[in-house]
């Protein structure tokens, strides 16, 4: 299984929060189950809810969360997290956040810089030892901005049992797509290399570093690979576009401490919508990352492209987009059976997070029009 690459980089600049395109095949009985599952512990904004009812066609399962001014104003599931057991999707359902994982890897790197243990301008050879001549110019900044030239096609399947050192050997011997720093080429492999550097510099496992330095200070107890010890029924089952079960994300081939290294660091982190809200709230303050570290992460370092008036750039593990007179920082995640999006409007202090446990088929919905309408529709209602 190969994950989709970052949608801004393939000309789909408008693909933000593709809820309408992500859900297909759910019947009225699932909508009834959704209504029956309303609970006081899950905040529901009536304006957002009515907007979603009108915009989201019938589909399997997922959750939409929205926050404004530091508060979670809406966090509600729809459909089923597990169709067979008829477990409703909820605010605390555990999902694979896929390539949204990259923001955690980027945050780990800038956190290590805050701690004086590395600099983003450092060449990778400082942490990986001797590297081939064509890769001596690659810096951590290049990996963070997808300008290293590393080619994902040189790697393997997400679930191929490759070790950290095995992944690094493949990355270092691969042929570059372009000279370091010269072009944007979205690279999952590059973020796996960053995860390896996190381990080498910190002296602890990648997930352990995230848990101790990012998640715990943010209050996130239900985010990670294996450390949270979720109950099985808390984790959403994933379905392909034909509705066939693909099992839960941690039921695919994994090592004992998380995904193998073609996925680790670039994807595969499990989290809940409520924990993603806590991450957003941490990013609004300085308890986890300093203002200087966040400026580096959210700076539009590399121009990606423009479509329909939306100009897209890439920061460190985040897309940075200027659209409809607003700046937003965002990242999507997608694979063969799930899709999701995390978007923050810093000036409006709004967060929108949605995720689906079934893949969308691009040809079945007008994604460009629906996604932008949905994104800004939720954003505008969250701050009203």
């Amino acid at each position: 299984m190969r994950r989709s690459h970052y949608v801004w980089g393939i000309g789909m600049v408008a693909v933000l929060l593709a809820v309408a395109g992500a859900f297909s095949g759910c019947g009225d009985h699932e909508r009834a189950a959704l209504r029956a599952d309303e609970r006081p512990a899950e905040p529901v904004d009536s304006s957002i809810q009515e907007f979603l009812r009108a915009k989201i066609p019938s589909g399997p399962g997922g959750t939409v969360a929205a926050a404004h001014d530091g508060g979670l104003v809406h966090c509600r599931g729809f459909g089923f997290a597990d169709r067979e057991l008829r477990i409703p999707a909820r605010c605390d359902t555990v999902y694979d956040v896929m390539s949204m994982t990259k923001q955690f890897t980027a945050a780990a790197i800038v956190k290590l810089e805050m701690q004086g243990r590395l600099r983003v301008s450092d060449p990778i050879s400082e942490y990986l030892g001797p590297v081939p001549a064509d890769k001596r110019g690659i810096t951590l900044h290049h990996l963070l901005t997808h300008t290293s030239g590393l080619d994902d096609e040189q790697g393997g399947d997400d679930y191929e049992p490759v070790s950290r050192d095995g992944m690094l050997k493949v990355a270092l011997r691969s042929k570059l797509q372009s000279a370091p720093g010269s072009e944007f080429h979205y690279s999952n492999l590059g973020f796996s290399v960053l995860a390896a550097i996190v381990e080498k510099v910190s002296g602890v496992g990648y997930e352990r570093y995230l848990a101790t330095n990012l998640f715990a200070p943010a209050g996130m107890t239900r985010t990670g690979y294996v450390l949270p010890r979720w109950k099985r029924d808390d984790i959403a089952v994933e379905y392909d576009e034909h509705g066939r079960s693909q099992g839960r994300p941690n039921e695919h081939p994994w090592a004992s401490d998380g995904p193998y290294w073609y996925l680790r660091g670039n994807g595969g982190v499990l989290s809940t919508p409520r924990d993603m809200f806590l991450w957003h709230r941490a990013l609004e303050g300085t308890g986890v990352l300093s203002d200087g570290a966040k400026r580096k992460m959210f700076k539009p370092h590399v121009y990606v492209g423009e479509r329909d008036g939306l100009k897209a750039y890439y920061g460190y593990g985040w897309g940075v987009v200027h659209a409809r007179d607003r700046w937003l920082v965002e990242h999507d995640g997608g694979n063969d059976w799930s899709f999701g999006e995390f978007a923050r409007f810093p000036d409006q202090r709004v967060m929108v997070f949605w995720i689906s446990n079934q893949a969308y088929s691009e040809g079945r919905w007008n994604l460009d029009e629906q996604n932008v309408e949905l994104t800004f529709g939720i954003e505008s209602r969250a701050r009203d």
Side-chain angles (χ1 to χ4, degrees):
M1 188 272 291
R2 298 294 294 166
R3 281 157 296 111
S4 60
H5 42 76
Y6 183 55
V7 295
W8 297 105
I10 58 173
M12 293 181 65
V13 178
V15 182
L16 288 172
L17 300 179
V19 178
F23 314 133
S24 59
C26 170
D28 290 339
H29 64 285
E30 290 171 310
R31 290 185 180 274
L34 181 151
R35 289 191 294 270
D37 189 53
E38 291 181 352
R39 290 189 255 174
E42 299 188 349
V44 177
D45 180 277
S46 59
S47 177
I48 292 174
Q49 187 62 19
E50 289 307 309
F51 176 76
L52 293 173
R53 287 188 188 280
K55 297 301 178 183
I56 300 177
S58 58
T63 302
V64 176
H68 183 223
D69 286 344
L72 187 61
V73 299
H74 183 91
C75 191
R76 189 180 181 204
F78 52 90
F80 291 117
D82 184 326
R83 293 185 190 180
E84 289 71 25
L85 297 180
R86 298 184 67 80
I87 299 173
R90 300 186 174 107
C91 184
D92 293 301
T93 294
V94 178
Y95 298 95
D96 179 355
V97 300
M98 301 162 283
S99 281
M100 289 174 264
T101 297
K102 291 179 176 66
Q103 63 194 257
F104 300 134
T105 303
I109 293 292
V110 297
K111 183 73 172 184
L112 285 165
E113 185 173 55
M114 283 175 56
Q115 295 168 339
R117 305 173 79 173
L118 55 72
R119 294 176 299 177
V120 295
S121 58
D122 290 339
I124 60 173
S125 58
E126 188 159 332
Y127 307 103
L128 303 182
V131 301
D134 64 334
K135 299 176 182 67
R136 290 174 189 162
I138 297 177
T139 65
L140 304 187
H141 171 84
H142 295 145
L143 294 174
L144 288 162
T145 57
H146 300 290
T147 58
S148 68
L150 288 177
D151 185 359
D152 277 359
E153 295 303 317
Q154 304 299 314
D157 185 89
D158 287 350
Y159 304 116
E160 183 176 328
V162 62
S163 67
R164 185 186 76 184
D165 290 346
M167 176 276 297
L168 289 173
K169 287 180 181 178
V170 169
L172 293 177
R173 73 175 182 230
S174 65
K175 182 179 179 180
L176 294 181
Q177 299 181 83
S178 57
S182 63
E183 297 178 9
F184 178 92
H185 294 287
Y186 190 80
S187 177
N188 290 305
L189 188 60
F191 270 74
S192 290
V193 173
L194 285 169
I197 291 172
V198 168
E199 292 198 344
K200 287 175 176 287
V201 172
S202 70
V204 298
Y206 167 77
E207 184 191 12
R208 178 64 65 184
Y209 184 83
L210 298 187
T212 302
N213 293 273
L214 304 180
F215 301 154
M220 301 163 66
T221 61
R222 295 170 64 78
T223 301
Y225 285 139
V226 300
L227 294 179
R229 306 292 184 187
W230 299 280
K231 295 179 180 178
R232 184 173 183 270
D233 287 352
D234 289 343
I235 304 173
V237 175
E238 297 177 305
Y239 301 89
D240 66 19
E241 64 179 319
H242 303 293
R244 295 174 297 214
S245 173
Q246 304 300 311
R248 290 170 170 81
N250 59 350
E251 293 174 340
H252 299 297
W254 273 20
S256 61
D257 59 346
Y260 292 109
W261 277 86
Y262 286 139
L263 180 58
R264 192 172 307 203
N266 69 71
V269 160
L270 307 183
S271 188
T272 68
R274 198 185 304 274
D275 256 24
M276 295 300 285
F277 158 68
L278 293 174
W279 177 236
H280 157 74
R281 193 167 65 178
L283 292 173
E284 289 200 316
T286 56
V288 177
L289 297 176
S290 67
D291 286 333
K294 290 185 293 181
R295 279 194 295 271
K296 282 190 174 183
M297 276 211 314
F298 299 136
K299 182 178 178 179
H301 293 287
V302 180
Y303 181 63
V304 175
E306 179 176 352
R307 184 173 179 181
D308 298 330
L310 306 182
K311 292 184 178 180
Y313 305 82
Y314 205 86
Y316 285 176
W318 289 83
V320 184
V321 185
H322 191 253
R324 299 189 183 181
D325 298 321
R326 298 180 182 87
W327 282 99
L328 67 148
V329 292
E330 65 76 45
H331 214 291
D332 61 57
N335 55 32
D336 291 343
W337 38 74
S338 289
F339 199 84
E341 173 74 31
F342 186 46
R344 302 179 63 244
F345 297 77
D347 294 339
Q348 289 74 35
R349 295 196 65 202
V350 171
M351 175 214 79
V352 178
F353 174 78
W354 73 265
I355 198 158
S356 161
N357 63 349
Q358 181 168 340
Y360 71 90
S361 177
E362 183 178 335
R364 298 175 68 176
W365 305 99
N366 187 340
L367 295 178
D368 286 356
E369 293 180 4
Q370 293 172 338
N371 297 333
V372 171
E373 182 181 0
L374 186 67
T375 303
F376 286 93
I378 296 173
E379 180 262 342
S380 65
R381 285 159 178 79
R383 59 187 173 87
D384 283 346

